[in-house]
């Protein structure tokens, strides 16, 4: 068996891995195109939009560059001879993973400041843009050593795929640590550097989101208790402070008017009797009735009369004001949680970003475990059967699911994003229907 025949048999064994990566790449490209279009055209400028677009660009780079390279690497497991492309693509793969980790830490710190320190100075959109540029630069600088570590590695005496038998005098080439790294410790230092950065990011994310979760939980419990107490107080106040009826107000004002008129007439030569009036009569009607009952006796007006009239109207207006105030308080609704420092919008955004972070942690755990196993024994993957090899290679690349699932999480948790996507497809279907109807006519 020559090199190309051995490579063909090994590529057939790895065909499920190639299909797995191809499905991820296709789904990721479609999903991230939706995210880029919707968040660019339908969302207002904000730090949340900046971070979402940054993550989407990183995911798109992974789907369009990293995943196709991984497919080529699996198709030519024993016959990859391009040194330059191997260095460049391995560097891009590592930079994408590191950029995702740093971006999520940056997002978590922004969420922590906005939720737990709402009265402090918050990150603006301009600061978010500069931070995103800094993330990209830091990821590139961080992964530059990959250009030196990776390269073409010569594999003498290739094994027969699925067997523990080697074919002598057949030499293959892999895209991994270069031949210049044999016996060197720099490769292990670089791997340890990458692993520690990812693990440190996971720890930072866990601590920040734990504090954020506790703060949101305390806030929700406080708001629940506050709303419950306000509802009870409003119910008690509406029963104990019943509004005075308009009829009672009119009766009181009429009685006061009659007393005032009798008091004024008693100071004159004749005594005037003011009869009882209907409750619906106003103060003016009471005065008119009293003048008619007193044999058309003219009651002289004085400054005291004006003062009494003002006093009566003042009492009436204060009574009406008290009635309107009590009626308004009885119908006043309790405050909503949106009017507090932590709004429902901020909590919804935090839930979306927290779900993305949890997916990042879970998908990178198999990668970390495999890398630690490689540090312990670099030959542990040799001699695996086809099923074990496929599971091993898929587990090593599970972190690529981040580039696909982020867009799905926006659709699940972000109602505004989901609404705009539905509207986009409704418009598309409407235009397609009109185009078909025009062709038919």
């Amino acid at each position: 068996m020559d090199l190309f025949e051995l490579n063909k048999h090994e590529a057939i064994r790895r065909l499920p891995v190639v299909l797995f990566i191809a499905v991820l790449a296709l789904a990721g490209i479609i999903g991230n195109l939706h995210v880029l279009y919707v968040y660019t055209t339908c969302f207002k400028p904000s730090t949340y939009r900046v971070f979402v677009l940054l993550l989407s660009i990183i995911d798109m780079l992974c789907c369009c560059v990293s995943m196709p390279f991984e497919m080529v690497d699996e198709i030519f497991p024993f016959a990859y001879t391009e040194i330059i492309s191997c260095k460049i693509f391995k560097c891009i793969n590592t930079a994408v993973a590191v950029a995702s980790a740093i971006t999520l830490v940056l997002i978590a710190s922004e969420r922590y400041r906005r939720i737990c320190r709402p009265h402090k100075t918050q990150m603006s959109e301009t600061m978010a843009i500069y931070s995103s540029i800094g993330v990209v630069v830091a990821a590139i600088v961080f992964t530059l050593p990959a250009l030196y570590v990776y390269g073409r590695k010569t594999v003498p005496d290739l094994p027969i795929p699925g067997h523990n038998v080697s074919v002598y005098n057949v030499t293959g080439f892999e895209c991994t640590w270069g031949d210049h790294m044999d016996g060197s410790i720099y490769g292990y230092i670089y791997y340890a550097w990458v692993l520690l950065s990812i693990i440190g990011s996971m720890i930072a994310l866990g601590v920040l989101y734990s504090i954020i979760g506790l703060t949101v939980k305390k806030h929700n419990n406080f708001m629940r208790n506050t709303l419950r107490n306000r509802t009870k107080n409003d119910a008690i106040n509406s029963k104990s402070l019943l509004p005075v009826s308009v009829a009672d107000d009119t009766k009181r004002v009429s009685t006061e008017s009659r007393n005032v008129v009798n008091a004024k007439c008693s100071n004159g030569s004749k005594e005037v009797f003011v009869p009882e009036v209907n409750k619906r009569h106003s103060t003016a009607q009471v005065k008119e009735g009293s003048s008619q009952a007193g044999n058309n006796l003219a009651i002289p007006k004085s400054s005291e009369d004006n003062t009494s009239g003002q006093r009566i109207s003042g009492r009436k207006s204060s009574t009406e004001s008290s009635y309107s105030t009590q009626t308004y308080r009885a119908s006043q609704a309790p405050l909503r949680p949106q009017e507090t420092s932590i709004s429902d919008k901020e909590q919804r955004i935090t839930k979306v970003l927290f779900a993305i972070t949890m997916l990042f942690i879970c998908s990178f755990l198999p990668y970390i475990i495999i890398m630690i196993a490689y540090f312990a024994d670099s030959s542990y993957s040799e001699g695996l059967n086809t099923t074990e090899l496929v599971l091993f290679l898929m587990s090593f690349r599970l972190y690529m699911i981040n580039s696909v699932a982020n867009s799905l999480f926006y659709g699940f948790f972000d109602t505004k994003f989901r609404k705009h996507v539905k509207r986009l497809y409704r418009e598309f279907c409407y235009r397609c229907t009109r185009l078909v109807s025009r062709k038919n006519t």
Side-chain angles (χ1 to χ4, degrees), residues 9 44 56 93 98 159 185 221 235 242 250 262-263 291 298 307 309 406:
H9 284 285
K44 296 180 180 180
S56 183
N93 289 357
V98 173
I185 198 175
N221 291 336
L242 292 176
T250 306
N262 288 333
S291 62
T307 305
N406 289 346

Side-chain angles (χ1 to χ4, degrees), residues 36 43 72-73 107-108 118 140 143 155 158 164 172 210 223 235 268-269 300 327 334 349 378 389 391 405 440:
L36 288 173
F43 278 70
V72 173
D73 190 23
I107 291 173
I140 294 174
T143 56
V155 183
L158 287 176
N164 292 326
S210 296
M223 288 304 302
S269 60
T327 306
I349 293 174
S378 59
L389 179 67
L391 292 177
N440 293 334

Side-chain angles (χ1 to χ4, degrees), residues 334-361:
L335 295 176
R336 297 180 299 174
Q338 288 86 344
E339 300 174 356
T340 60
S341 58
I342 305 178
S343 61
D344 285 348
K345 178 182 177 182
E346 296 296 335
Q347 295 191 34
R348 174 176 53 82
I349 293 174
T350 304
K351 289 179 182 179
V352 175
L353 299 175
F354 175 74
I356 294 174
T357 302
M358 290 303 299
L359 177 66
F360 170 82
I361 294 175

Side-chain angles (χ1 to χ4, degrees), residues 13-312:
R13 293 180 66 199
R14 303 186 181 196
L15 184 60
V17 182
V18 176
L19 296 176
F20 171 73
I21 299 175
V23 171
L24 289 181
L26 181 61
I29 291 173
I30 296 174
N32 286 291
L33 284 177
H34 284 77
V35 173
L36 288 173
Y37 177 78
V38 171
Y39 276 90
T40 303
T41 59
C42 303
F43 278 70
K44 296 180 180 180
S46 62
T47 56
Y48 173 62
R49 190 185 75 157
V50 171
F51 290 141
V52 168
L53 291 177
L54 175 61
L55 281 176
S56 183
I57 292 172
I58 295 173
D59 294 339
M60 183 65 74
L61 183 65
C62 180
C63 295
C64 296
V65 179
S66 299
M67 291 185 185
F69 167 74
E70 294 294 337
M71 294 170 60
V72 173
D73 190 23
E74 296 300 332
I75 294 173
F76 299 99
F78 294 154
Y80 199 98
T81 58
E82 296 292 333
I83 300 177
I84 302 300
S85 63
C86 176
K87 290 178 176 292
I88 293 175
F89 286 113
K90 286 293 186 181
C91 182
I92 292 175
N93 289 357
T94 310
V96 166
V98 173
S100 298
I102 299 176
T103 302
L104 291 177
V105 173
L106 178 63
I107 291 173
S109 61
E110 191 270 341
R111 287 288 96 193
Y112 168 80
R113 194 170 187 83
R114 191 171 294 273
I115 299 296
C116 303
R117 299 290 185 268
H119 303 294
K120 301 292 184 179
T121 303
Q122 302 299 323
M123 181 180 294
S124 63
E125 183 192 7
T126 304
M127 294 175 61
I129 294 174
Y130 288 142
S131 300
S132 302
I133 296 174
V135 166
V136 175
V137 174
I140 294 174
V141 173
F142 187 87
T143 56
L144 280 179
L147 296 175
Y148 173 75
V149 173
Y150 288 101
R152 185 179 65 183
K153 181 179 182 180
T154 303
V155 183
D157 301 333
L158 287 176
I160 298 176
H163 301 81
N164 292 326
V165 181
S166 300
V167 179
Y168 295 99
N169 299 326
V170 177
T171 302
F173 303 97
E174 295 179 352
C175 179
T176 180
W177 291 3
D179 292 332
H180 61 286
M181 298 301 297
D182 290 342
S184 176
I185 198 175
Y186 293 111
Y188 292 98
I189 293 176
Y190 175 73
Y191 266 23
W193 174 250
V194 174
L195 280 180
L196 289 177
S197 64
I198 296 176
I199 294 174
S201 300
M202 290 181 177
I203 294 174
L205 291 171
V207 172
L208 288 174
Y209 276 108
S210 296
I211 299 174
I212 292 172
L214 290 175
T215 304
V216 172
K217 184 178 179 180
K218 289 180 181 179
H219 166 77
N220 291 336
N221 291 336
F222 172 77
M223 288 304 302
R224 229 178 273 115
N225 295 331
T226 303
L227 292 176
R228 190 183 300 114
N229 293 334
R230 286 183 180 179
T231 304
K232 290 180 180 179
N233 293 335
D234 290 342
I236 294 173
N237 292 334
S238 62
K239 292 180 180 179
S240 60
L241 300 177
L242 292 176
V244 182
S245 63
V246 179
D248 294 338
D249 293 342
T250 306
K251 181 179 180 180
R252 187 187 303 112
V253 172
S254 301
T255 305
E256 292 173 354
S257 301
R258 179 168 50 84
N259 294 333
V260 170
V261 173
N262 288 333
K264 293 298 177 182
C265 294
S266 63
N267 294 330
S269 60
K270 294 183 179 182
E271 183 177 0
V272 179
F273 172 74
V274 179
E276 290 289 337
V277 297
N278 195 303
K279 295 180 181 180
R280 298 181 181 179
H281 290 178
S282 62
T283 307
Q285 291 172 340
V286 172
K287 290 183 178 180
E288 182 180 357
S290 63
S291 62
Q292 293 175 358
N295 296 323
N296 297 325
L297 178 63
I299 302 176
K301 294 184 179 180
S302 62
S303 60
E304 295 180 358
D305 294 338
N306 296 332
T307 305
S308 301
Q310 292 176 0
R311 187 182 298 111
I312 294 170

